[in-house]
Amino acid sequence: MDIISRAEWGARPPESRSTVPWSKRTVFMGHYSAASATQTPRQIQDYHMRVRGWSDIGYNFLINSITGDLFEGRGWNVLGAHCEGHNTESIGVCIIGKDQAGKQDVSDAARRAFKWLYDEANDRKGKRLTLLGHRDRGNTTCPGNEIYAWLKAGLPLVGSTPAPQPKPPAAGRPAPGTPIAFPLPAGWYFGPASGPDYSVSGLHERYFQGRTDRAWLREWATQLSRRGWSIGKGQRWLGGAGNDGIYGSEYRALAEAFQRDQHLDVDGLIGKHTWDAAYRNPVR
Ligand SMILES: [Zn+2]
């Protein structure tokens, strides 16, 4: 996570500063600004320096309660001015924004930033810092009930599961039924009666592998209904004439829809590929 440096947010230089070694740091303290989340670190710094008369912005770090932007205040090793009598041992972190009873103002991004900074502090210290709210050491409601309860709970990141991964494409169920080999000679297909000899329509009752073309075409459409397609008189597909085994515009529309579903070449003719897909391809 990036910390927005003083130079990046346009901080005024401090009027004075004194440093604190890590050995004296024992507390990580949460604050809030109890004002608008649109407040900038520079505005807070101006207030602290001009109105309060401090040497610099009071906090060691600041976090925007909405965006989660993390700003350097005085930084890790400079004595802060955020909790009277406890600035040496405490690293003070202000969540910029208000806290209204019963309403969550602190975004998941801001919570993640706070938690990240706390973990970072513990790493730098080489030991766990005590997590406190300002009210634990001062006569104040700071950091507000919402943040305080969250600190006391140990900074749980409930809403912070990483962005959901795109689901892998469904593998699909295996095709139902027993595969039936394409019954027409190689290169032939079920298609319109107006086509060439190898366009088998069902209209002339020709025999292939011991059954009529009409029976075979019905067989293929029946396999689609096993796959979940709504097929037959009054149904979504073949709704007019039903599954009568005579190739026409209804079978063409069904074949095209199935070919589209299976990412096959869409020509509306039922050749070996389209036939086999009904028996062998998984149902998506
Ligand atoms: Zn405070």
Side-chain angles (χ1 to χ4, degrees), residues 93-148:
V93 181
C94 176
I95 295 180
I96 303 171
K98 62 189 190 315
D99 175 276
Q100 295 168 344
K103 179 175 175 292
Q104 178 177 318
D105 285 312
V106 181
S107 70
D108 291 333
R111 289 163 190 257
R112 273 196 297 280
F114 191 96
K115 174 79 159 50
W116 180 87
L117 193 67
Y118 177 55
D119 291 341
E120 179 72 19
N122 290 336
D123 284 350
R124 287 172 184 243
K125 166 80 179 174
K127 198 176 160 188
R128 224 170 162 70
L129 297 164
T130 303
L131 200 51
L132 295 178
H134 188 181
R135 65 173 68 170
D136 289 321
R137 293 289 181 268
N139 182 20
T140 173
T141 59
C142 180
N145 293 337
E146 178 195 349
I147 298 169
Y148 187 72

Side-chain angles (χ1 to χ4, degrees), residues 30 48 67 85 115 148 154 165 177 187 191 199 231 274-275 283:
H48 285 177
T67 64
K115 174 79 159 50
Y148 187 72
Q165 300 297 310
S199 178
I231 284 169
T274 303
W275 179 279
V283 178

Side-chain angles (χ1 to χ4, degrees), residues 177-190:
T178 307
I180 296 174
F182 184 59
L184 304 181
W188 290 40
Y189 54 74
F190 294 95

